[in-house]
């Protein structure tokens, strides 16, 4: 967790929640890069998913957080990127398990779905929980990568 640097972005539907998340990251001293957007003016979420995923692919950032209205569009776009395992979560159990079992490297949240307190709990779990590793989970992730490589 020491070398953790988050890439974070949102669209207009996620802007208010992203502000809450940034305030938490600042307070907690967690390193991040904010890739926009910077207001509630309408924008296209794939553009922002792309910025975050490319920064993870390049190694500039280690994990990402994407916020749109539902979290769904961001997760669809993010999962098109090689090596990205994006999870759209609305509960803390899923946010923890997707780190433990799926080694998720992007958390997608819905600013119109979850309140700030729940979202921050999920962000904390996403940051603090380590991948469990081990044979079966690693094997399943390798199978996902195999599908990715076949496309
Ligand atoms: C924007 O209105 C909305 O469609 C977007 O934020 C997101 O929810 C898409 O999945």
């Amino acid at each position: 967790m020491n070398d953790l640097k988050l890439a974070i972005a949102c669209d207009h539907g996620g802007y208010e929640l992203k502000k809450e998340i940034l305030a938490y990251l600042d307070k907690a001293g967690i390193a991040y890069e904010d890739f926009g957007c910077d207001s509630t003016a309408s924008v296209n979420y794939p553009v922002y998913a792309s910025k975050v995923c490319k920064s993870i692919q390049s190694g500039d950032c280690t994990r990402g957080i994407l916020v749109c209205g539902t979290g769904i569009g961001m997760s669809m776009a993010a999962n098109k990127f090689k090596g990205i395992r994006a999870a759209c979560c609305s509960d803390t159990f899923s946010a923890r398990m997707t780190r433990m079992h799926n080694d998720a490297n992007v958390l997608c949240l819905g600013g119109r779905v979850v309140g700030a307190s729940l979202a921050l709990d999920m962000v904390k779990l996403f940051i603090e929980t380590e991948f469990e590793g081990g044979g079966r989970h690693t094997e399943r992730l390798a199978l996902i990568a195999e599908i990715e490589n076949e496309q």
Side-chain angles (χ1 to χ4, degrees):
M1 205 183 109
N2 284 342
D3 60 353
L4 182 88
K5 185 181 174 194
L6 291 174
I8 183 163
C10 66
D11 75 353
H12 52 290
Y15 178 66
E16 295 300 334
L17 179 56
K18 187 183 77 171
K19 281 200 293 185
E20 302 273 356
I21 297 170
L22 294 184
Y24 163 72
L25 297 176
D26 285 334
K27 202 170 154 196
I30 295 164
Y32 67 84
E33 188 167 346
D34 179 10
F35 289 90
C37 69
D38 302 311
S39 78
T40 54
S42 184
V43 293
N44 296 323
Y45 59 80
V47 172
Y48 294 89
S50 176
K51 289 172 195 276
V52 161
C53 294
K54 284 178 180 167
S55 82
I56 295 170
Q57 285 179 326
S58 72
D60 287 345
C61 291
T62 50
R63 279 182 224 165
I65 297 176
L66 289 167
V67 195
C68 64
T70 58
I72 296 171
M74 285 293 201
S75 64
M76 286 181 171
N79 278 316
K80 298 293 180 196
F81 287 79
K82 214 166 189 171
I84 297 299
R85 292 175 300 278
C88 180
C89 296
S90 300
D91 66 275
T92 52
F93 179 73
S94 300
R96 190 162 58 88
M97 293 309 288
T98 200
R99 284 290 308 132
M100 288 173 69
H101 286 191
N102 315 124
D103 197 16
N105 50 12
V106 175
L107 175 68
C108 301
L109 299 170
R112 296 170 182 159
V113 179
V114 294
S117 302
L118 173 56
L120 293 182
D121 283 348
M122 289 191 279
V123 166
K124 281 176 212 165
L125 286 165
F126 177 70
I127 290 169
E128 287 164 11
T129 309
E130 293 302 326
F131 177 46
E132 213 172 73
R136 71 188 200 283
H137 300 310
T138 306
E139 187 183 334
R140 289 162 190 164
L141 294 186
L143 288 170
I144 293 177
E146 211 175 287
I147 294 169
E148 204 170 58
N149 289 328
E150 282 166 10
Q151 299 303 304

